[in-house]
Amino acid sequence: MSILGPEVHTALTQLLAGLSSSENDVRTRAEEQLNSDWVTARPDILLMGLVEQMLESPDPSTRSFAAVLFRRMSTKARKVVNKSDPTELFMTLQEPQQIAIRGKLLQSMQSESTNNVRNKVGDAVAEIARQYSDEGQSWNELLGVLFQASQSTDSGQREGAFRIFATTPGIIEKQHEEIVQNAFVKGFKDDAINVKIAAMEAFASFFRAIEKKSQKKYYGAVGDILNILPPLHEAGDSDNLSKAFLALIELAEIAPNMFKSLFSRLVQFSISVIQDKELGDQARQNALELMATFADYSPTMCRKDTSYTQDMVTQCLSLMTDVGLDDDDATEWMAADDIDVEESDLNHVAGEQCMDRLANKLGGPTLLSPTFAWLPRMVQSLAWRDRHAALMAISAISEGCRDQMISELNDVLNLVVPALRDPHPRVRWAGCNALGQMSTDFAGIIQEKFHSIVLTNIIPVLEAPEPRVQSHAAAALVNFCEEAEKEVLQPYLDNLLRHLLCLLDCPKRYVVEQALSTIATIADSAETAFGSYYPALMPLLFNVLRQEQSKELRLLRAKAMECATLIALAVGKERMGQDALDLVQLLGMIQGKVTEPDDPQGQYLLHCWGRMCRVLGKDFLPYLPSVMPPLLELAKATADITLLDDDDEIANYENEDGWELVPLKGKVIGIKTSILEEKHVAIELIYIYAQQLEAAFEPYVIDIMHHVSLPGLAFFFHDPVRVASAKSVPVLLNSYKKAHGERSQDLIQLWEFTLDKLLEVLTPELAIDTLAEMYQCFYESVEVLGKSCLTQHHMEEFIKAAKATLEEYRVRVQKRIEDKQDAEDGEEDSEEVLFAIEDDQTLLSDMNKAFHTIFKNQGVSFLPTWSQLVPFYNTFITSQDSTQRQWALCIMDDVLEFCGEQSWSYQQHIRQPLIDGMRDENPANRQAACYGVGIAAQKGGVSWAPFVVDSLPILFQVCQIPNARDDDEVFATENACASIAKILQTHSDKVPNIQNVIAQWIITLPLVNDDEAAPFAYSFLSKLIEQRNPAVLAAADKVFIAICQAFEAETIQGQTQQNVTAAAKLLVQATGINADALLSTLQPESQQAWSDNQSTVPLVSVDHGCGKSGLARYLIDEVLGVDEDRPFGYFFFKDEPDQIAAAHANRLLTRQLFWQKPEFLEDSAVRKLWADGDSLEAYFTDL
């Protein structure tokens, strides 16, 4: 019986008709009426009216639409008195109104007989249940009704109950497990297949919602679940089989080990589905996905199964042969102009992606053997699809099997390279794909050792008759060249570029676009070696950029811009000359014609401007007024967010590019990611401009800081925007500092505002990797402002944030420990857990750097505030987790380094941890502890002297551990060596038998890895040589060799290097050692390093535009301190006839010398100089 009067329903019927009208203006008026007359004025009448329409309307479409609208309106946000946050509309109603509406909802659900309408009503019921659950309230009568429905004789009612359980599992989460399990088991054994599937989906949803420790109670249900599948396979019911596999996939992600006892049977069944070509592709792919999910989440269980790997490899390869089934000669494939067609739903792509996952999860030792049991035969097969599949398999597995394939690369290339000459174009395409992928996965090795094999075979493919093959060969070259050193590429440049230039004449635009991208990559890698090809290429690119702005040529022009600016970056401003300015003007013209949001040139232009700023440096300044307005518009863009609550609407947005859908409290929010990506790129470019232009960028700093960078720190819609904003803040501060001075009032005001915002974003959050970036932003900003830039209040706020962050970290660690304890034996950490651990390690590292920077700039004033963290330190220093111990040790190193003698106040927290740290099994921790002992000696004062002297035996033990010079151990070893030197220098009077200790210390040399530890150790060694220390003189051969090794490793530089060189010469003179004989025992590099250090004339040889002139001016003005008593001369050699001859250089240098010091010449020569100075070179012989 209706509660509302007929006039209300008449009005509602008219409203529903208007809202569903196909006419825009009618629908718009109805939406306005809905909001003003119903939602705002009488929401209770609206919701009751809609639920009565669901219950009483004779028209199924009206009942369905009323249910959809009810669900949408019930979630509308509404302000409520005495509540700060908006409340959903239904929850704002009075309790009697809520009860009445709930009752009508349940009646509608129980009485509805039309399936699709009942599903819509069920969605409305689930929405109200979700609202109660979120508010911590209960809907008592719902559970009884649902359990009753699950026992109904009507299969539709039973299905509906499970659909609601699936949507809102929280309503049964707290029920007794026996009741819940019985309900599900009954559903699994239901006669109706739609009920069985709904029960599976509900169980998966419920299983995800409950706590991990409760999940094991339901493992017993897995047998009943799996029994649902075989009849579906036998009946050929692909649709329901697909749905069943989706539910299993969700369960496998949550708790793969629940299938452990039945895993072998499940593997066999899934394989039978995958290979059954009578079934639909989606069902077969979902079965494959289930098996791949087990590899993702429980690789150990997969490895242990006797047939899993072999069968999966076989089926993946089989699926990969399902390519081009209706296009045997590839006619359609070759004719296609759109070569980026989405193919993710095709069997061959599913097989390739699965092979990639298997390789990454199971690893090479498991996967390589069964894979290569097939590949040689397939490569030799007469069927082109087999050959294609084999090559694509190599592409798929090379990343995951990298370590095992490295030693077999020559054999693998012998399988791949012949495919580049295959008669079938798709096989040649696959060969290019394999070489391109291998160039990335084996980066460095394949370029260095196999460049001849790869390049001599793939370059001719650029002449292939099929444009798609040409394009893919060029794309593979991108992968190879971007990882290649210029010395590797140089011999091939002529041949490479000749072929690529030919491709620029191809009628297929995608080939030309790819050729331009490849040329750009080659320019980027070849750097100045590309200069000789500049005259041939740049005019072609200019011609493309000057062409008419037709729509079909936009991407081509964008690629040309990219290519031109990367070439500019490679050859430099000097080589470009006027072309650099012409190119910038061309870019400006193009930018002025970019008016449509989908024009790809806009995105490319952003990066092109950034490159040209790097090329031109300060010469870019005149173009900033044109570049900055559109850039700032993008950087200031706000998030485009849409609330989606209709299934059809959600489906539309799912299929639209550039949107991300996020579920939130029963709703789905659509976020337009394309805008956010543009915002991210714009902020990254701001970083480049501020970094390159420094003080000259100051006019833009305040606006950007206030409206882009600081708001961007809290732009939670898109983490990349937050990260880019964080990176921009320090460079913007530096720009402002360079313009105004480091203690200017303007800078102080900007810093005070900025600092408050930085401290706000240091609080705990879910995105741990982004939080780490916030800490990095903070400490880099403090570094820019320098000494005493933090007040006591700021330090207190920082410590408050750090404490909260560390507390959250401890909770996460404890949760991982508990989960590990609950895990099955042999269960490996999931990828998600490994990433979480890595993120936490990064966070601790960046927090450490923040503490280091504050101590460095605030000194002892930070100690009282910092001491609030001592309880964390005490916990971490004794943790089983080496990362936590390292964190604590590094902080104590900072206390010792920057607080000097006052650090002794914390000695009870420091001494034993340093001793234990030097004996830690983790090399990084030993390194931190050894460094701390050295710093205590160097800066801690007399209080620390007994402790550091007593630490000498342990430091020597660190240097003597097995494999002390291995890559993992060497930094700990060298820090121990340097710390011994610090103790010996600072507290030599307290070290017994010091000559014996020095002799032992010399044995710990050389230091050839740590360029922070080495300078002190070698400075100490130099002093010992100067003092004619007996222990040093007795080991002169060893000392001399250790010095040469340090020179070769370049661990000592500048003044230290000069002092050590002088000391080494003194050592040779004092002891009479045969330096040449000792040098002959060393590697040629060490010999050359010693020879280089004997020269007093520096030789500088760098590429064009790298700053030779600036360096010379700096040396003359700042280092040498040239004045009238110290004349100077300079000459720059160039690869030009007049600038390459040594005689010419001598003449010009002599001319400069005599011009400044005419007293060096006889009077006749002086007269000649004054008379013919400009042409003096011609009279060089006379002079």
Side-chain angles (χ1 to χ4, degrees):
M1 180 178 175
S2 177
I3 294 175
L4 303 178
E7 70 284 355
V8 174
H9 283 292
T10 300
L12 265 178
T13 301
Q14 293 172 350
L15 177 67
L16 293 175
L19 290 170
S20 58
S21 173
S22 59
E23 297 181 20
N24 287 337
D25 56 340
V26 174
R27 196 168 58 252
T28 300
R29 286 196 301 272
E31 287 169 354
E32 291 171 354
Q33 183 187 2
L34 170 66
N35 289 318
S36 59
D37 295 353
W38 297 90
V39 174
T40 304
R42 41 182 181 167
D44 53 336
I45 302 297
L46 171 65
L47 295 180
M48 177 57 81
L50 290 173
V51 83
E52 288 192 342
Q53 287 283 323
M54 290 184 234
L55 188 60
E56 298 174 8
S57 174
D59 178 21
S61 61
T62 300
R63 299 199 301 274
S64 177
F65 187 39
V68 170
L69 190 59
F70 175 90
R71 181 181 171 218
R72 218 164 81 198
M73 293 300 103
S74 70
T75 63
K76 279 259 186 191
R78 188 184 186 197
K79 278 285 186 183
V80 178
V81 179
N82 299 327
K83 288 190 80 170
S84 57
D85 295 327
T87 303
E88 290 175 298
L89 190 65
F90 178 80
M91 299 307 291
T92 66
L93 304 183
Q94 298 297 318
E95 186 176 357
Q97 296 168 331
Q98 292 182 8
I99 292 172
I101 291 172
R102 286 178 350 214
K104 292 278 186 180
L105 260 181
L106 294 180
Q107 286 180 46
S108 177
M109 185 184 74
Q110 291 169 312
S111 63
E112 183 58 61
S113 58
T114 306
N115 279 340
N116 68 319
V117 178
R118 182 167 48 235
N119 291 341
K120 300 292 186 188
V121 174
D123 292 341
V125 171
E127 175 54 43
I128 299 304
R130 194 270 310 161
Q131 292 187 33
Y132 276 113
S133 178
D134 288 351
E135 293 291 328
Q137 301 178 32
S138 58
W139 183 357
N140 295 326
E141 61 270 29
L142 174 61
L143 197 56
V145 170
L146 290 178
F147 275 115
Q148 182 182 345
S150 70
Q151 315 296 319
S152 171
T153 56
D154 182 351
S155 65
Q157 287 288 337
R158 301 197 298 275
E159 179 190 2
F162 284 116
R163 280 174 57 88
I164 293 174
F165 287 148
T167 308
T168 319
I171 60 180
I172 54 171
E173 187 179 337
K174 296 177 182 177
Q175 299 302 307
H176 192 278
E177 57 263 17
E178 186 177 350
I179 297 172
V180 175
Q181 188 144 349
N182 288 340
F184 278 123
V185 169
K186 192 164 185 179
F188 300 148
K189 295 180 178 180
D190 200 285
D191 294 335
I193 187 57
N194 58 319
V195 178
K196 290 180 178 181
I197 298 298
M200 287 183 72
E201 293 168 344
F203 182 78
S205 181
F206 163 77
F207 196 80
R208 184 180 289 280
I210 61 178
E211 293 183 2
K212 194 174 184 69
K213 60 186 177 184
S214 299
Q215 290 173 351
K216 290 184 180 179
K217 299 172 184 177
Y218 297 93
Y219 278 17
V222 73
D224 292 321
I225 295 173
L226 295 183
N227 286 336
I228 297 172
L229 278 71
L232 296 175
H233 187 195
E234 292 166 11
D237 188 349
S238 292
D239 290 343
N240 281 315
L241 192 56
S242 289
K243 293 176 183 177
F245 273 119
L246 288 175
L248 290 178
I249 290 166
E250 187 170 1
L251 290 173
E253 290 174 350
I254 305 163
N257 282 322
M258 75 183 295
F259 297 90
K260 193 172 185 179
S261 61
L262 297 170
F263 186 63
S264 184
R265 283 175 50 194
L266 180 55
V267 170
Q268 292 170 21
F269 175 77
S270 299
I271 294 296
S272 71
V273 171
I274 297 168
Q275 64 189 10
D276 188 349
K277 296 185 178 182
E278 298 300 317
L279 291 170
D281 286 346
Q282 193 60 61
R284 298 173 66 199
Q285 290 178 26
N286 285 357
L288 185 75
E289 175 63 27
L290 174 63
M291 291 293 98
T293 301
F294 281 113
D296 289 340
Y297 291 91
S298 187
T300 301
M301 188 165 70
C302 295
R303 291 190 199 103
K304 288 181 178 178
D305 187 84
T306 55
S307 64
Y308 176 89
T309 306
Q310 181 67 58
D311 287 346
M312 281 294 287
V313 167
T314 301
Q315 294 311 314
C316 285
L317 293 173
S318 176
L319 287 172
M320 289 166 66
T321 62
D322 284 359
V323 58
L325 297 180
D326 299 322
D327 187 29
D328 195 63
D329 60 358
T331 302
E332 293 180 17
W333 179 81
M334 288 187 290
D337 282 329
D338 185 359
I339 60 173
D340 297 319
V341 177
E342 178 60 48
E343 294 185 332
S344 60
D345 59 341
L346 299 183
N347 284 344
H348 71 94
V349 176
E352 292 163 19
Q353 292 173 346
C354 187
M355 285 293 287
D356 175 58
R357 289 162 69 182
L358 293 176
N360 279 292
K361 296 302 178 180
L362 302 184
T366 301
L367 197 74
L368 270 188
S369 179
T371 303
F372 275 87
W374 283 103
L375 296 190
R377 284 180 283 166
M378 294 178 72
V379 165
Q380 298 297 325
S381 171
L382 295 177
W384 72 264
R385 292 180 180 85
D386 290 348
R387 303 195 298 275
H388 182 277
L391 295 163
M392 297 305 291
I394 291 172
S395 302
I397 68 171
S398 60
E399 179 188 9
C401 300
R402 182 181 188 277
D403 292 344
Q404 290 70 39
M405 289 177 67
I406 284 176
S407 60
E408 309 295 332
L409 270 182
N410 195 59
D411 292 336
V412 176
L413 286 170
N414 286 338
L415 291 178
V416 174
V417 168
L420 300 178
R421 299 181 290 275
D422 195 277
H424 200 283
R426 295 200 71 163
V427 176
R428 274 180 275 127
W429 184 97
C432 294
N433 193 79
L435 283 182
Q437 190 62 51
M438 290 171 68
S439 297
T440 298
D441 294 335
F442 302 99
I445 297 170
I446 206 162
Q447 283 82 359
E448 182 182 342
K449 295 184 177 179
F450 300 98
H451 54 84
S452 178
I453 294 174
V454 174
L455 292 178
T456 56
N457 282 284
I458 202 168
I459 290 174
V461 185
L462 295 172
E463 300 176 5
E466 306 87 4
R468 288 195 73 167
V469 177
Q470 291 178 311
S471 175
H472 212 51
L477 283 166
V478 169
N479 292 35
F480 183 91
C481 294
E482 66 187 359
E483 301 291 348
E485 297 294 333
K486 61 181 179 182
E487 293 78 14
V488 168
L489 288 181
Q490 202 156 357
Y492 304 95
L493 286 178
D494 282 346
N495 199 16
L496 257 175
L497 291 168
R498 180 169 53 80
H499 280 82
L500 289 167
L501 284 171
C502 290
L503 293 186
L504 297 181
D505 294 325
C506 180
K508 292 286 188 181
R509 196 164 58 250
Y510 65 78
V511 175
V512 181
E513 291 165 359
Q514 181 58 64
L516 288 173
S517 291
T518 307
I519 291 169
T521 302
I522 293 171
D524 196 33
S525 295
E527 298 173 341
T528 51
F530 198 85
S532 58
Y533 306 97
Y534 179 88
L537 272 167
M538 195 57 90
L540 294 176
L541 298 172
F542 271 60
N543 288 338
V544 174
L545 296 179
R546 289 181 175 125
Q547 287 177 13
E548 187 61 32
Q549 291 268 57
S550 56
K551 191 165 186 175
E552 64 274 9
L553 294 178
R554 285 173 175 176
L555 184 58
L556 176 63
R557 191 179 292 103
K559 295 282 187 179
M561 286 190 287
E562 176 186 55
C563 188
T565 51
L566 279 169
I567 290 174
L569 207 54
V571 303
K573 178 173 66 174
E574 292 179 4
R575 177 68 182 82
M576 288 191 74
Q578 181 61 35
D579 281 352
L581 301 180
D582 292 345
L583 179 55
V584 171
Q585 289 168 3
L586 259 177
L587 295 177
M589 289 172 54
I590 294 170
Q591 179 169 285
K593 297 179 181 179
V594 175
T595 57
E596 298 178 15
D598 63 343
D599 189 338
Q601 294 176 108
Q603 272 292 306
Y604 278 80
L605 270 167
L606 292 176
H607 295 285
C608 291
W609 286 125
R611 292 187 199 106
M612 292 311 297
C613 178
R614 290 162 63 190
V615 170
L616 294 174
K618 298 294 190 295
D619 291 341
F620 188 75
L621 281 172
Y623 305 99
L624 267 188
S626 300
V627 171
M628 288 305 295
L631 185 68
L632 287 174
E633 184 179 349
L634 287 175
K636 293 176 181 178
T638 55
D640 187 350
I641 300 172
T642 301
L643 180 64
L644 310 173
D645 43 24
D646 179 81
D647 291 344
D648 293 336
E649 195 176 17
I650 291 170
N652 289 336
Y653 276 90
E654 282 178 333
N655 295 324
E656 190 171 337
D657 289 338
W659 284 85
E660 180 182 353
L661 304 187
V662 180
L664 182 66
K665 289 189 173 182
K667 309 180 187 71
V668 174
I669 294 175
I671 303 174
K672 192 167 186 179
T673 54
S674 56
I675 290 176
L676 305 187
E677 286 156 7
E678 290 173 354
K679 181 181 178 78
H680 167 227
V681 169
I683 299 173
E684 284 189 325
L685 288 167
I686 285 171
Y687 170 89
I688 291 173
Y689 293 146
Q691 184 188 54
Q692 294 290 320
L693 301 176
E694 294 188 318
F697 196 67
E698 182 272 345
Y700 302 95
V701 169
I702 295 294
D703 181 33
I704 292 171
M705 197 71 96
H706 283 265
H707 299 110
V708 177
S709 294
L710 295 179
L713 297 176
F715 194 82
F716 294 102
F717 298 107
H718 197 58
D719 279 344
V721 166
R722 299 183 64 204
V723 171
S725 299
K727 291 187 182 302
S728 71
V729 169
V731 295
L732 290 169
L733 287 170
N734 185 60
S735 172
Y736 210 69
K737 180 174 111 172
K738 290 287 180 73
H740 291 273
E742 60 184 33
R743 285 292 173 259
S744 72
Q745 194 59 39
D746 290 330
L747 178 63
I748 291 170
Q749 288 177 357
L750 176 61
W751 173 236
E752 288 174 351
F753 179 78
T754 301
L755 184 53
D756 289 338
K757 298 297 182 183
L758 295 184
L759 290 168
E760 286 176 11
V761 295
L762 297 184
T763 51
E765 61 170 273
L766 292 176
I768 306 303
D769 55 339
T770 305
L771 180 58
E773 295 283 354
M774 298 300 127
Y775 274 93
Q776 182 178 343
C777 171
F778 173 81
Y779 71 71
E780 287 182 354
S781 299
V782 171
E783 196 69 73
V784 170
L785 269 292
K787 298 290 184 185
S788 304
C789 65
L790 300 176
T791 65
Q792 185 61 39
H793 168 72
H794 293 140
M795 289 188 284
E796 288 284 351
E797 288 299 306
F798 172 79
I799 289 297
K800 186 190 300 182
K803 284 172 69 176
T805 301
L806 290 172
E807 194 55 60
E808 289 286 325
Y809 166 76
R810 284 206 298 201
V811 170
R812 290 194 299 274
V813 170
Q814 186 59 38
K815 177 72 165 56
R816 287 198 288 265
I817 292 171
E818 292 171 359
D819 289 346
K820 192 78 172 175
Q821 291 169 347
D822 292 339
E824 301 274 341
D825 290 341
E827 184 178 345
E828 299 178 14
D829 286 335
S830 67
E831 192 173 74
E832 183 181 359
V833 169
L834 295 175
F835 280 140
I837 292 171
E838 185 179 338
D839 287 343
D840 273 333
Q841 290 173 343
T842 303
L843 174 61
L844 286 185
S845 174
D846 282 315
M847 291 183 74
N848 253 340
K849 291 172 185 173
F851 290 122
H852 173 86
T853 305
I854 298 175
F855 271 121
K856 175 183 172 183
N857 289 286
Q858 301 294 134
V860 295
S861 68
F862 184 48
L863 261 181
T865 313
W866 167 83
S867 64
Q868 299 174 50
L869 296 182
V870 168
F872 287 97
Y873 166 83
N874 290 336
T875 302
F876 283 22
I877 199 65
T878 57
S879 169
Q880 296 297 308
D881 182 354
S882 63
T883 301
Q884 294 186 27
R885 298 197 301 277
Q886 184 182 8
W887 180 86
L889 285 167
C890 288
I891 288 181
M892 284 307 159
D893 288 351
D894 290 331
V895 173
L896 289 163
E897 183 169 0
F898 299 112
C899 300
E901 295 183 4
Q902 293 195 37
S903 63
W904 183 252
S905 303
Y906 294 89
Q907 53 86 18
Q908 73 273 24
H909 299 287
I910 300 177
R911 289 189 304 171
Q912 191 59 45
L914 286 181
I915 293 170
D916 295 339
M918 288 188 287
R919 293 172 171 145
D920 198 300
E921 62 184 16
N922 184 285
N925 292 357
R926 289 202 304 279
Q927 176 186 347
C930 291
Y931 177 81
V933 172
I935 286 295
Q938 197 176 11
K939 300 192 175 182
V942 294
S943 300
W944 283 100
F947 168 78
V948 299
V949 171
D950 289 344
S951 298
L952 282 170
I954 309 176
L955 289 168
F956 278 112
Q957 288 171 16
V958 173
C959 297
Q960 294 160 3
I961 66 167
N963 306 315
R965 293 285 172 180
D966 284 0
D967 289 345
D968 291 339
E969 310 286 346
V970 70
F971 283 91
T973 303
E974 294 192 357
N975 269 268
C977 172
S979 292
I980 294 169
K982 291 172 184 176
I983 296 168
L984 293 176
Q985 175 166 308
T986 311
H987 300 294
S988 58
D989 57 327
K990 299 179 178 61
V991 179
N993 301 315
I994 190 165
Q995 286 302 311
N996 290 339
V997 176
I998 291 173
Q1000 283 182 274
W1001 174 71
I1002 291 170
I1003 297 171
T1004 68
L1005 297 172
L1007 279 72
V1008 293
N1009 290 276
D1010 194 324
D1011 52 13
E1012 292 185 15
F1016 189 93
Y1018 281 97
S1019 293
F1020 176 62
L1021 181 62
S1022 297
K1023 290 176 182 176
L1024 293 177
I1025 294 171
E1026 292 165 4
Q1027 295 166 1
R1028 305 292 203 278
N1029 184 278
V1032 173
L1033 299 182
D1037 289 5
K1038 163 75 175 171
V1039 170
F1040 181 79
I1041 288 172
I1043 289 172
C1044 293
Q1045 289 170 323
F1047 286 161
E1048 181 202 344
E1050 299 182 352
T1051 51
I1052 48 176
Q1053 300 284 335
Q1055 190 61 48
T1056 302
Q1057 185 180 15
Q1058 294 177 29
N1059 294 342
V1060 173
T1061 301
K1065 291 178 180 178
L1066 180 61
L1067 179 70
V1068 172
Q1069 294 169 1
T1071 61
I1073 58 174
N1074 188 335
D1076 291 338
L1078 290 173
L1079 286 169
S1080 68
T1081 67
L1082 299 176
Q1083 295 293 325
E1085 294 82 3
S1086 296
Q1087 297 177 34
Q1088 185 62 47
W1090 169 256
S1091 176
D1092 291 345
N1093 276 283
Q1094 307 316 297
S1095 172
T1096 57
V1097 179
L1099 175 65
V1100 180
S1101 178
V1102 293
D1103 295 330
H1104 293 299
C1106 289
K1108 295 186 296 294
S1109 303
L1111 175 62
R1113 172 56 58 190
Y1114 170 77
L1115 290 172
I1116 291 165
D1117 289 346
E1118 304 295 334
V1119 178
L1120 299 177
V1122 173
D1123 54 34
E1124 62 183 14
D1125 294 325
R1126 299 183 67 189
F1128 73 93
Y1130 60 87
F1131 182 81
F1132 292 113
F1133 288 100
K1134 292 184 180 179
D1135 193 11
E1136 298 172 6
D1138 290 341
Q1139 292 288 109
I1140 202 167
H1144 185 61
N1146 281 326
R1147 286 197 294 271
L1148 288 183
L1149 287 169
T1150 305
R1151 178 184 186 279
Q1152 294 172 65
L1153 174 64
F1154 288 160
W1155 191 271
Q1156 294 172 65
K1157 287 289 184 179
E1159 62 267 26
F1160 288 1
L1161 290 168
E1162 296 180 0
D1163 289 344
S1164 58
V1166 172
R1167 288 192 297 273
K1168 193 75 173 173
L1169 175 66
W1170 287 111
D1172 302 306
D1174 291 340
S1175 56
L1176 187 63
E1177 183 182 336
Y1179 304 99
F1180 192 73
T1181 305
D1182 294 344
L1183 291 172

